[in-house]
Amino acid sequence: YRLFARNDLTLGIAYEYLVVADFDIRTNAQNIERDLPPDELYNLDVLLPDVQTSLSRSVFSLFAQDTWSVRQNIDLTLGLRGDFFSDFGSVLTPKVGITYRPDPRVNVKAMFGNAFRVPAFYETFIERASQGSAARDDLVVENLDMLEIGVGYKPFEWLLGEVNVFTTAMRRLAKAPDPGNALESDDTITVSTSEGELVYESIGGIDVQGVELELRGEREQDLEFGIIPRVINSSFRINYSYQEGRDAETHEILPLIARHKGNIDLGLRFSSISAKTGKSNLLGLFRSLSDEFSLHTHIFLSGKRERSAQDVRDD
């Protein structure tokens, strides 16, 4: 809905129903605490004979976003989303972003957002198997705040370079307290669900800071020779990020978080339809088979991830 000139409001509603059954996984994540060989994979039903692998979850969501061109070169975006989970209660997440373009080739952006993570079904399986039917109450929605500031430069129409600096604070990493000690700790979290109020004790948080460099480009060549294909499109994306994760309380560097990460994307697309004219050669063989053929390759590169001190496996 256009509230006024250069201001658009978007409202949305969503409903999801997720169900999982006949779940099967082989893992070594439980081996060390069970004194099993660390490099052997075991079926989940072997590690946890009593595990129940049939679960369901309903999610009802409402969201609103307002985009406002404050000036010709300044854009402001405000967002608010509410998610209501049948098994974890409700979560409200705001977001705000601003973009400034001092030059048509340069953009500066700043974004702040709040996000969350609900336990995956696998985590719920583990809790249920170890603590019984009430185990889903022993899991809690984790929360994080993210701030990102970036600069983008577009020297050519087909090429864009970006530098982003980010910091993320993950909080409400929590677990159910041991029986008998639930109300003895001052550092507790109360969560309201459809089944009543649940109390958790905090097990700390994680702070992650980093920088990301990215270069991406796309070229499209319109072949005006009356041949098939009529359009050849090529694209690429190369990015590198350095991040460092530390315990929010002790400030020690955390294991299992790679400091160096990178991505390489290469894409090639052939099309029978001209991007400029919108016309295609209906008599061509290429058109009779498909409007478009594309080939995409993605390579993910990661630095080593150090194990925890008690984990005997190699990095």
Side-chain angles (χ1 to χ4, degrees):
Y1 180 75
R2 174 148 290 181
L3 297 177
F4 51 88
R6 303 199 309 271
N7 186 288
D8 294 322
L9 176 66
T10 302
L11 301 174
I13 184 173
Y15 175 78
E16 292 181 86
Y17 177 72
L18 302 97
V19 60
V20 58
D22 299 325
F23 185 88
D24 182 65
I25 188 171
R26 291 187 302 150
T27 178
N28 62 1
Q30 301 286 314
N31 291 21
I32 293 177
E33 60 190 67
R34 296 174 182 273
D35 294 325
L36 296 172
D39 56 347
E40 294 290 334
L41 295 176
Y42 293 88
N43 285 327
L44 188 62
D45 56 0
V46 174
L47 296 171
L48 305 169
D50 298 326
V51 67
Q52 299 295 320
T53 58
S54 296
L55 293 173
S56 63
R57 175 182 298 162
S58 296
V59 188
F60 177 70
S61 306
L62 295 170
F63 58 89
Q65 176 173 290
D66 185 77
T67 55
W68 180 24
S69 294
V70 182
R71 298 181 62 181
Q72 188 172 3
N73 60 346
I74 299 177
D75 295 326
L76 177 66
T77 301
L78 303 173
L80 185 65
R81 181 183 177 100
D83 293 277
F84 308 90
F85 294 84
S86 59
D87 47 356
F88 294 109
S90 59
V91 184
L92 193 65
T93 50
K95 290 179 172 61
V96 58
I98 186 168
T99 303
Y100 170 57
R101 295 177 299 277
D103 182 272
R105 298 173 298 175
V106 178
N107 72 81
V108 180
K109 63 181 180 181
M111 295 183 293
F112 170 80
N114 176 268
F116 65 92
R117 187 186 76 89
V118 299
F121 282 122
Y122 169 75
E123 296 170 282
T124 310
F125 293 151
I126 298 297
E127 289 295 326
R128 280 199 167 187
S130 60
Q131 300 189 28
S133 60
R136 72 174 183 174
D137 298 341
D138 295 327
L139 296 167
V140 67
V141 176
E142 297 174 354
N143 180 275
L144 66 86
D145 294 320
M146 182 274 296
L147 175 65
E148 179 178 344
I149 299 175
V151 178
Y153 177 62
K154 199 170 186 179
F156 308 104
E157 187 63 30
W158 56 273
L159 183 65
L160 174 66
E162 290 185 317
V163 178
N164 295 300
V165 179
F166 59 88
T167 179
T168 303
M170 292 178 239
R171 296 297 182 267
R172 288 186 68 185
L173 303 180
K175 68 174 183 178
D178 296 331
N181 297 327
L183 302 178
E184 294 181 3
S185 172
D186 294 331
D187 193 8
T188 60
I189 300 170
T190 301
V191 181
S192 297
T193 73
S194 58
E195 300 179 359
E197 288 192 342
L198 309 173
V199 180
Y200 300 86
E201 62 181 358
S202 173
I203 56 173
I206 297 173
D207 292 324
V208 180
Q209 289 85 34
V211 60
E212 181 181 40
L213 310 174
E214 180 164 301
L215 190 67
R216 63 179 183 267
E218 181 177 5
R219 291 295 299 268
E220 188 168 279
Q221 181 66 42
D222 204 336
L223 306 177
E224 300 177 352
F225 303 116
I227 63 174
I228 300 297
R230 297 184 66 114
V231 177
I232 298 178
N233 176 284
S234 59
S235 61
F236 74 92
R237 180 177 75 102
I238 301 173
N239 88 355
Y240 164 78
S241 64
Y242 175 85
Q243 62 180 10
E244 193 172 83
R246 294 181 178 271
D247 185 285
E249 296 180 357
T250 66
H251 305 294
E252 294 181 354
I253 293 180
L254 296 171
L256 303 180
I257 298 179
R259 298 189 189 184
H260 304 275
K261 292 182 180 180
N263 293 275
I264 301 175
D265 283 300
L266 300 174
L268 188 64
R269 179 171 62 87
F270 302 99
S271 175
S272 63
I273 300 178
S274 170
K276 294 180 180 179
T277 65
K279 297 180 179 180
S280 64
N281 187 338
L282 299 178
L283 301 179
L285 175 63
F286 187 77
R287 170 66 181 182
S288 66
L289 295 176
S290 173
D291 290 339
E292 183 176 288
F293 174 80
S294 60
L295 179 66
H296 181 80
T297 300
H298 175 209
I299 301 173
F300 170 68
L301 306 169
S302 174
K304 71 176 182 178
R305 295 186 298 137
E306 298 175 355
R307 301 285 187 179
S308 58
Q310 66 270 25
D311 196 332
V312 299
R313 293 172 293 179
D314 293 335
D315 292 340

